[in-house]
Amino acid sequence: MIRNDKGSLMRPDPLPESASRPVVTPLSPSVVYASDTPDMLDAQYEGDLHGYTYSREGHPNADVVAKAIDRMEGAPHLGVLTSSGMGAVSAVLMGLTHTGDHIIGGNQLYGRSLRLMAEDLPRLGIDTTLVDPGDVAAVRAAMRPETKMILVEVVSNPTLRVADIAGLAALAKERGVLLVVDNTFTTPRAFKAFDHGADIVIHSITKLLAGHSDVMLGYVAARDQELNDRLRVFTVTTGMTPSPFDCWLAERGMLSFDLRFDRAQETAAQLADHLATLPGVTRVLYPARPDHPDQARADSLLKGQTCNMVSFELDGGRPEANAFATAARGLNFAPTLGDVGTTISHPASSSHRALTEQRRTELGMSEGFFRVSVGLEDADTLCSVFSDAIEAATRR
Ligand SMILES: *Cc1c(COP(=O)(O)O)cnc(C)c1O
């Protein structure tokens, strides 16, 4: 048993002093933090003295990651970390609204965000409308006196349409509603949402920022101090605080984020062009391509960056989709994105399975539709893996 210098008490002495410091952020798994006196604790709770108390309320590893993302996004206050990206989405949609409020969401939001909008919020008496975020007139038409916020993704999942952020920001300002941007796909490398008029920015750190598929984590920050505080209180009260270890892992992943993003994006552009040459492919979606319906908007918003995501449609239905996934050996068929390795996902059987087939068809996601999250593989190797698998799946 560990004994401290009193000889018999259970808790160890403080860490040995060192004039030099560690180069890696120490992991602080401690759930509780001991204060010296009730006066000191009082001062901490009053905010006169900074000090952690109980890790659900906050801990150093979360704050280190939040600060790093704050810096990337240009967030004015310390952002809030949550135990998943959906935690961050839920905190905004449920922590800042009241019964009777109305929320407008992009109609191509992440599948679970759509579900929250369509099922859970109405149950709590919060009405929602889903609208094409590329059509500002439609969003304007959906506005009501009780509309509180507009939630959009810059590049939509998985059809890669680009929202009219400038138009939405102007409309939100005019009507005094909050513009909330889920910046998971574009990341602060390609898009700094606060600079484009967002009031609140959300991330699933799980994806590109952490980048190794070994940690689930979310981030949310508000431009307004009071809203930011409310988000923190809500996430603490509802128990969304992430574990220190997950934050520590995310920080480690984020050290290489810029390099990974640039490399994956470059390969994605190459893969998109390659897929467009294949006879078994009926459609390729990549916002930087001239045949993408939102290319001009992507150019103006993303300033030469795009994303690491490419979507395409195979010539065929579920049997061809199954054959492609089987033939694409070495690529993980997995419903995630932003991993160091390329992953393929099939929205009709995963992220968008809760929608009716008719709704999926309206959104442009047939049974042959795949989304590719490009990783760090060599581009030529990756292109040939796709050629071979698509050829094998669509050969008649
Ligand atoms: C994955 C994802 C989320 C949810 O994040 P989790 O960390 O999986 O909870 C939210 N928005 C977008 C755009 C995502 O891709």
Side-chain angles (χ1 to χ4, degrees), residues 19-163:
S20 47
R21 24 172 224 288
V23 297
V24 173
T25 304
L27 175 62
S28 295
S30 192
V31 165
V32 284
Y33 289 79
S35 305
D36 290 342
T37 61
D39 273 354
M40 179 176 164
L41 189 58
D42 227 16
Q44 286 177 241
Y45 277 122
E46 287 302 314
D48 299 331
L49 188 64
H50 178 69
Y52 298 100
T53 53
Y54 186 64
S55 71
R56 181 169 24 73
E57 314 259 337
H59 53 75
N61 290 106
D63 288 349
V64 165
V65 173
K67 263 190 199 142
I69 302 176
D70 291 344
R71 234 173 269 129
M72 290 187 219
E73 285 287 5
H77 317 288
L78 181 64
V80 178
L81 289 205
T82 52
S83 50
S84 73
M86 278 315 297
V89 174
S90 303
V92 173
L93 296 186
M94 302 169 92
L96 301 180
T97 50
H98 298 88
T99 300
D101 285 348
H102 174 243
I103 301 175
I104 296 175
N107 59 2
Q108 297 186 354
L109 289 171
Y110 180 68
R112 284 281 160 186
S113 300
L114 284 176
R115 210 167 154 138
L116 187 63
M117 300 271 300
E119 289 172 27
D120 298 278
L121 294 176
R123 185 168 45 77
L124 303 173
I126 298 162
D127 228 359
T128 63
T129 308
L130 299 174
V131 189
D132 175 0
D135 183 350
V136 175
V139 176
R140 180 183 288 279
M143 290 276 224
R144 304 179 194 167
E146 59 276 17
T147 304
K148 274 288 158 65
M149 59 175 73
I150 304 171
L151 167 64
V152 293
E153 292 168 25
V154 186
V155 173
S156 73
N157 177 15
T159 49
L160 312 183
R161 295 302 303 261
V162 183

Side-chain angles (χ1 to χ4, degrees), residues 330-363:
L331 302 181
N332 284 317
F333 172 56
T336 188
L337 67 99
D339 186 61
V340 289
T342 296
T343 52
I344 49 176
S345 81
H346 183 248
S349 63
S350 60
S351 56
H352 291 67
R353 61 173 298 121
L355 304 182
T356 62
E357 183 156 10
Q358 188 195 337
R359 184 79 192 112
R360 281 198 297 266
T361 308
E362 281 166 23
L363 293 173

